[in-house]
């Protein structure tokens, strides 16, 4: 069906999710475009809360789908959402975001303006780098000179300069809290062994798969507020370790060659040094564990 599936993957963040749903019901898009809201839940949302969601969404003209999963993991939630979607476009929002009133109408119009595109993404307000921060990210290979490109080590730090954009631009990746695709471009997603739990880098992989069907764009008008709630996240050591290991897999998938691995070693070394003054022992342990695996050569095979 020509329309939009708004997907929210969540786990034990009822307060954040309620705020997100409220912002969706406040949209100025009207009822001319069919819209369904799909919640994929890895936690436990009380029945009375779900009833309130359904009531408010139905009153706004949206259909509501709720699915509770037992096999946890963000990538698996994305897959289930695509399976359940009945619309030709799928928007993924984090449960801790708020979208402005014009967001959905702007997104729909962007797809009309770019009929050959495979996906359209937006920007998180407040996600930005200072001049010195940009220099540090460039030198540590966390960022590319091009806003729409990943760095040599496969990092998505270029998105920290997206707030400077004044017009729509092409990109090879989107930000997971604020990304959308034509369903046709992502309909054949499959489980990936290394994308578990928090699934660091899953947005990069999904963008890469979708890009095979057409160009991806970032529309700077699609700004949202990302509260970045820490609730229900994995521990810092595991996140840091996964950040390194999953980027190894992304480099392998891209067939980047030795340069990518060398760049990732340098990036990881920088991240370890960055955490030293903060005495963030858990993150340091995770990065060191990931670095050790790269240097051992086991993950690069």
């Amino acid at each position: 069906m020509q329309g939009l599936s708004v997907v929210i993957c969540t786990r034990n963040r009822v307060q954040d999710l309620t705020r997100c749903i409220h912002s969706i019901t406040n949209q100025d898009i009207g009822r001319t475009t069919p819209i369904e809201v799909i919640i994929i839940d890895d936690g436990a949302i009380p029945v009375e809360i779900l009833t309130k969601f359904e009531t408010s969404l139905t009153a706004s003209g949206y259909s509501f789908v709720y699915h509770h999963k037992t096999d946890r993991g963000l990538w698996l939630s994305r897959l289930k959402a695509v399976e359940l979607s009945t619309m030709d476009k799928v928007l993924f929002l984090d449960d801790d975001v708020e979208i402005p009133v014009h967001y959905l109408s702007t997104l729909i119009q962007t797809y009309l303006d770019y009929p050959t595109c495979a996906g359209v993404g937006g920007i998180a307000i407040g996600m930005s780098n200072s001049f010195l921060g940009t220099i540090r990210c460039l030198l540590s290979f966390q960022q590319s000179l091009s806003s729409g490109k990943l760095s040599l080590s496969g990092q998505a730090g270029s998105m920290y300069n997206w707030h400077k954009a004044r017009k729509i631009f092409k990109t090879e990746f989107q930000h997971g809290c604020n990304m959308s695709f034509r369903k046709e471009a992502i309909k054949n997603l499959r489980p990936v062994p290394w994308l578990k739990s928090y699934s660091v880098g899953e947005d990069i992989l999904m963008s890469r798969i979708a890009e095979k069907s057409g160009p991806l764009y970032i529309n700077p008008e699609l700004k949202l507020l990302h509260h970045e709630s820490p609730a229900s996240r994995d521990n810092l050591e595991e996140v840091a370790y996964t950040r390194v290991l999953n980027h190894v897999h992304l480099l392998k998938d891209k067939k980047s060659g030795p340069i990518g691995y060398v760049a990732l070693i340098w990036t990881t070394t920088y991240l370890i040094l960055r955490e030293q003054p903060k005495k963030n022992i858990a993150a340091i342990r995770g990065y060191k564990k990931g670095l050790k695996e790269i240097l051992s050569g086991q993950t690069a095979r």
Side-chain angles (χ1 to χ4, degrees):
M1 183 184 298
Q2 294 287 320
L4 179 67
S5 297
V6 182
V7 175
I8 309 169
C9 303
T10 188
R11 180 186 173 194
N12 298 333
R13 286 179 174 171
V14 172
Q15 185 175 355
D16 289 323
L17 182 59
T18 301
R19 182 176 55 210
C20 181
I21 293 292
H22 180 70
S23 71
I24 293 172
T25 60
N26 283 338
Q27 294 298 293
D28 62 5
I29 194 170
R31 304 195 179 195
T32 56
T33 300
I35 294 176
E36 62 183 0
V37 176
I38 302 175
I39 292 178
I40 307 295
D41 185 16
D42 274 0
I45 302 175
V47 174
E48 59 271 20
I49 298 297
L50 289 173
T51 301
K52 289 181 180 179
F53 288 166
E54 185 169 19
T55 299
S56 62
L57 289 167
T58 301
S60 299
Y62 310 146
S63 57
F64 177 58
V65 178
Y66 172 76
H67 178 81
H68 178 264
K69 282 171 51 260
T70 54
D71 48 346
R72 292 179 177 175
L74 180 56
W75 180 255
L76 294 178
S77 292
R78 306 286 203 207
L79 268 61
K80 176 55 68 172
V82 175
E83 177 187 326
L84 294 175
S85 169
T86 63
M87 303 296 174
D88 69 325
K89 294 175 284 293
V90 182
L91 166 66
F92 292 101
L93 297 175
D94 276 8
D95 55 9
D96 55 353
V97 307
E98 288 181 87
I99 57 176
V101 294
H102 65 82
Y103 185 98
L104 295 185
S105 59
T106 301
L107 178 63
I108 294 297
Q109 186 59 50
T110 307
Y111 274 101
L112 293 174
D113 293 340
Y114 294 83
T116 64
C117 76
V120 178
I123 298 169
I125 296 172
M127 181 174 281
S128 61
N129 253 350
S130 64
F131 175 75
L132 289 178
T134 297
I135 297 300
R136 285 194 297 269
C137 283
L138 287 171
L139 292 177
S140 58
F141 298 138
Q142 295 181 84
Q143 188 172 316
S144 168
L145 288 171
S146 171
S147 294
K149 296 289 185 181
L150 296 169
S151 71
L152 282 176
S153 61
Q155 311 291 309
S158 300
M159 71 173 67
Y160 284 90
N161 282 333
W162 285 358
H163 68 286
K164 299 177 183 177
R166 295 294 178 266
K167 60 182 181 179
I168 295 175
F169 62 91
K170 277 188 178 182
T171 183
E172 64 179 3
F173 68 97
Q174 297 188 47
H175 187 194
C177 79
N178 186 8
M179 64 181 183
S180 74
F181 304 96
R182 295 191 190 275
K183 185 176 178 179
E184 185 69 19
I186 55 173
K187 66 178 182 179
N188 294 321
L189 296 179
R190 295 290 182 268
V192 177
W194 51 271
L195 280 176
K196 301 175 182 178
S197 189
Y198 186 40
S199 303
V200 176
E202 51 81 27
D203 47 358
I204 295 175
L205 181 61
M206 187 175 289
S207 297
R208 187 174 294 168
I209 292 170
E211 196 178 15
K212 295 176 183 177
S213 299
L216 305 178
Y217 294 94
I218 298 297
N219 186 346
E221 294 299 318
L222 293 170
K223 293 184 175 71
L224 55 68
L225 185 59
H226 191 194
H227 294 280
E228 298 192 76
S229 172
S232 300
R233 295 285 175 89
D234 292 343
N235 65 70
L236 289 177
E237 179 176 348
E238 186 64 24
V239 170
Y241 170 67
T242 305
R243 179 176 178 182
V244 178
L245 196 64
N246 284 11
H247 277 90
V248 171
H249 288 292
L250 287 168
L251 289 173
K252 288 168 65 177
D253 176 74
K254 194 176 181 180
K255 297 179 175 60
S256 66
I259 292 177
Y261 294 104
V262 172
L264 184 57
I265 289 171
W266 175 243
T267 297
T268 307
T269 302
Y270 168 81
L271 293 173
I272 293 171
L273 295 174
R274 186 189 66 179
E275 298 296 340
Q276 294 286 358
K278 307 174 188 176
K279 297 184 178 179
N280 194 341
I281 305 302
I284 292 172
R285 282 200 303 264
Y287 288 132
K288 284 186 175 180
K289 182 180 176 183
L291 182 60
K292 183 178 180 180
E293 290 206 22
I294 301 175
L295 292 173
S296 71
Q298 295 179 2
T299 55
R301 292 171 187 168

